[in-house]
Amino acid sequence: MSGVAPMQAIAGLEPADLRWRIDVDVLVVEFRGRRHTPAHMAGCWRAVQGLAAERGLVKVLAIDLMDDDPLTGEQRAAFIRQLGMDVFAGRRWAYVARSVDRVGAYEATQLDAQEQGLDARVFSSLAEAELWVRFPG
């Protein structure tokens, strides 16, 4: 039997399927399913932020396993407008892109967050993301 906690679903976010667990002091969230719209994805990220806040967790490891393509261009701009960067405040966010070729699609959001002094970073490697989110400094 593994010591890893089972994943739990965050309800009401269809067509996305977000599953989460707590691993020591890190909220681990897998993003599956589809993105649908920028507003929908903003709601998904707000749900993750709310979950972290409810549990008093400041470290979040988000893993992209989505079936569709990342938001880009105007979709990404609409997502940022609807989400607001303040959702990332007070937490350390590591985001693992589904594949190396998708990292670039998320880097603009990372830069937006970092320009506002927020602690967010995109990775192509789960191992690197885990080290970064767990061991700040």
Side-chain angles (χ1 to χ4, degrees):
M1 182 168 155
S2 165
V4 176
M7 297 296 267
Q8 300 177 52
I10 301 175
L13 298 175
E14 295 77 14
D17 177 16
L18 274 59
R19 306 227 168 228
W20 67 276
R21 67 182 167 83
I22 297 173
D23 186 350
V24 185
D25 62 346
V26 177
L27 175 62
V28 179
V29 181
E30 292 179 351
F31 282 69
R32 297 175 181 271
R34 291 183 300 111
R35 287 171 175 80
H36 191 52
T37 65
H40 171 255
M41 281 312 297
C44 290
W45 279 97
R46 277 193 226 90
V48 172
Q49 187 274 340
L51 188 61
E54 286 172 11
R55 285 160 176 74
L57 298 169
V58 297
K59 299 173 186 174
V60 180
L61 175 62
I63 304 166
D64 175 15
L65 300 170
M66 301 294 276
D67 296 331
D68 55 3
D69 292 328
L71 302 175
T72 57
E74 179 50 39
Q75 286 183 323
R76 180 194 156 301
F79 165 71
I80 295 300
R81 279 192 306 272
Q82 293 172 27
L83 178 65
M85 286 286 111
D86 61 316
V87 76
F88 296 113
R91 292 195 166 65
R92 186 169 180 90
W93 296 83
Y95 188 81
V96 182
R98 182 174 175 172
S99 60
V100 173
D101 62 319
R102 291 184 177 207
V103 170
Y106 302 117
E107 285 180 330
T109 304
Q110 171 187 303
L111 293 173
D112 288 345
Q114 289 174 341
E115 284 176 359
Q116 295 186 37
L118 303 172
D119 206 5
R121 188 160 166 206
V122 175
F123 295 87
S124 62
S125 161
L126 177 58
E128 288 179 20
E130 285 185 302
L131 284 173
W132 181 85
V133 79
R134 290 180 189 284
F135 304 106

